Amino acid sequence: LLDGKDRDLVCSIVSAGAKAVEIPIFCKIRLLDTLDETIRLCKQLCDAGASLIAVHGRYRASWERKGPGARDGPALMDQIGEIKKAVPQIPIIANGNTITFEDVEANLKLT
């Protein structure tokens, strides 16, 4: 549901949830094909009523991944920092690429 054709549906789901409950609505996404596209989605989710967005700092796999814990490469933490700057209205947090305590500290500084 990250493609542009699904954007209205996703935002309407977030909006309906935000209107229906008194608890925060959190969303989790992956990076889209471009940083600008990801920022646009985050702004749309924020406008729809999301209270927090967790960004998994990897792109969707374009090939078949194999084995337990298969990944598409290292998380692109710098892009999450750029998203955070572009959408200051709500918390943007990093999801993924956190293995050590040092990773946790780095993520906290970034987001």
Side-chain angles (χ1 to χ4, degrees):
L1 290 175
L2 293 176
D3 292 325
K5 65 182 175 63
D6 300 316
R7 201 65 47 84
D8 288 341
L9 173 62
V10 170
C11 290
S12 68
I13 292 169
V14 171
S15 180
K19 290 175 184 168
V21 298
E22 295 182 17
I23 59 173
I25 299 295
F26 292 2
C27 297
K28 180 184 174 191
I29 66 167
R30 278 188 176 263
L31 295 173
L32 301 181
D33 293 338
T34 68
L35 178 58
D36 288 340
E37 191 178 347
T38 306
I39 289 171
R40 188 174 322 114
L41 171 60
C42 290
K43 287 180 178 182
Q44 290 171 318
L45 292 171
C46 177
D47 291 344
S51 303
L52 176 145
I53 301 172
V55 180
H56 186 85
R58 292 184 177 89
Y59 295 108
R60 293 178 283 176
S62 57
W63 63 91
E64 186 176 329
R65 300 181 323 173
K66 297 179 182 178
R71 291 182 170 73
D72 304 337
L76 303 171
M77 304 306 288
D78 58 322
Q79 290 197 20
I80 298 171
E82 292 300 316
I83 295 165
K84 173 77 175 170
K85 291 176 192 171
V87 188
Q89 302 90 329
I90 60 173
I92 304 292
I93 61 171
N95 175 261
N97 212 54
T98 305
I99 299 167
T100 66
F101 183 72
E102 289 76 20
D103 295 336
V104 172
E105 290 180 317
N107 285 353
L108 286 171
K109 287 179 184 175
L110 181 66
T111 63

